[in-house]
């Protein structure tokens, strides 16, 4: 890993992951990225429930 790579879980990393998922019809995620996506979906659901999204 080079010094320019964003830290896993950072906002920049999450945006890059979202961009990757948006460009590929099929993507294989490792366990860390699966966990990040799961948490993002749960967080989004909580925002919707709270009327904030």
């Amino acid at each position: 890993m080079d010094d320019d790579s964003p830290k896993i879980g950072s906002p920049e990393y999450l945006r890059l992951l979202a961009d990757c998922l948006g460009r590929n019809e099929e993507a294989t995620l490792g366990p860390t990225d699966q966990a990040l996506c799961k948490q993002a979906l749960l967080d989004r659901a909580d925002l919707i429930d709270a009327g904030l999204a």
Side-chain angles (χ1 to χ4, degrees):
M1 177 186 284
D2 59 34
D3 292 333
D4 294 331
S5 296
K7 181 179 177 188
I8 292 174
S10 69
E12 182 182 6
Y13 182 88
L14 298 176
R15 287 183 183 99
L16 290 171
L17 178 58
D19 183 58
C20 177
L21 292 173
R23 288 185 284 118
N24 296 303
E25 289 184 22
E26 294 184 23
T28 302
L29 301 177
T32 300
D33 289 338
Q34 286 178 3
L36 288 168
C37 288
K38 176 185 174 184
Q39 190 59 53
L41 291 169
L42 293 171
D43 290 348
R44 180 68 175 175
D46 288 343
L47 288 172
I48 292 168
D49 283 343
L52 300 172

